[in-house]
Amino acid sequence: MKKHYTTKEKLLEICKECAKEKGINGFGMRDVAHASGLALGTIYNYFTDKETMIIETLLSIWKDFISCITNTESFHDYLERIINIVDDIESTYPNFINNHPRHITDSKIDKAKELMTKELQGIKEQIISVLNQDKMIRSNVFNSILTKENLARFTIKNILSAKTKEDKELLLQIVKCAIY
């Protein structure tokens, strides 16, 4: 007999399992209903439509990602941790970084971007905190162009767009040479 899940958090866990199996855009409301043992109509009580379900699943995955990042006193070590976690997400949810916004319609893309921006803001704040703690950074590195906020935004953008291990290693070397 299947367990019945009645909280949104538990349904989001099922959504993430479906995303692991079928890809972030490959599962639907019926898959979640089947996996949870709930009627399809019940799933609609939690998610108004597939896009909302996908957006909330993405957000849940990002929150899991952010919660795995632990602070360190070295900015370089911190970036390595972020890169490893992004790699873990990509291996768990294939093509997650590149494919997840593709099937969100224009009517919901603004909301999805707003939620994503909020989550990425948390990472940016963590990065700035680590930059403030890292005693090995040269004292004259930051200026009006290379601010801690700009470096945080740059590193996030490049980690998420890096396609290969070599690209990620190059980013680490560039940052290391630029600030230490």
Side-chain angles (χ1 to χ4, degrees), residues 7-173:
T7 67
K8 193 168 201 173
E9 291 77 23
K10 288 182 180 179
L11 284 174
L12 283 169
E13 291 303 316
I14 291 172
C15 289
K16 290 187 279 190
E17 289 302 315
C18 290
K20 287 176 189 176
E21 292 173 22
K22 296 185 174 194
I24 198 68
N25 296 308
F27 73 99
M29 307 283 272
R30 290 183 192 282
D31 297 307
V32 175
H34 179 72
S36 67
L38 295 173
L40 181 60
T42 304
I43 303 303
Y44 279 98
N45 290 330
Y46 294 95
F47 308 107
T48 56
D49 54 35
K50 179 181 177 179
E51 283 181 296
T52 300
M53 182 180 67
I54 297 295
I55 291 168
E56 291 191 33
T57 302
L58 292 168
L59 186 60
S60 181
I61 292 168
W62 277 111
K63 285 181 179 184
D64 290 349
F65 162 65
I66 291 168
S67 71
C68 289
I69 304 171
T70 56
N71 275 351
T72 179
E73 291 182 12
S74 165
F75 180 63
H76 184 269
D77 292 347
Y78 184 78
L79 286 183
E80 281 185 316
R81 288 180 185 173
I82 292 175
I83 288 169
N84 290 334
I85 290 169
V86 169
D87 288 346
D88 288 346
I89 288 176
E90 280 288 301
S91 67
T92 303
Y93 304 96
N95 298 310
F96 175 81
I97 302 295
N98 295 325
N99 288 341
H100 74 264
R102 287 194 179 157
H103 298 289
I104 299 173
T105 60
D106 291 342
S107 64
K108 302 225 176 178
I109 197 74
D110 289 339
K111 182 65 175 173
K113 284 181 180 179
E114 177 186 326
L115 292 170
M116 181 63 69
T117 299
K118 183 179 175 185
E119 293 307 314
L120 291 176
Q121 180 64 29
I123 296 172
K124 186 165 63 168
E125 289 170 6
Q126 281 184 348
I127 288 173
I128 292 169
S129 173
V130 172
L131 285 168
N132 287 331
Q133 295 173 32
D134 191 337
K135 305 283 189 247
M136 299 304 291
I137 295 174
R138 289 180 319 200
S139 61
N140 63 345
V141 165
F142 296 105
N143 56 46
S144 62
I145 296 170
L146 180 59
T147 64
K148 291 174 183 174
E149 184 169 298
N150 286 343
L151 181 59
R153 189 174 44 251
F154 172 82
T155 54
I156 291 168
K157 180 180 176 182
N158 282 282
I159 288 170
L160 295 177
S161 65
K163 304 287 184 230
T164 65
K165 182 127 179 99
E166 291 80 21
D167 290 345
K168 294 169 187 173
E169 288 296 325
L170 179 60
L171 173 64
L172 286 170
Q173 283 301 313

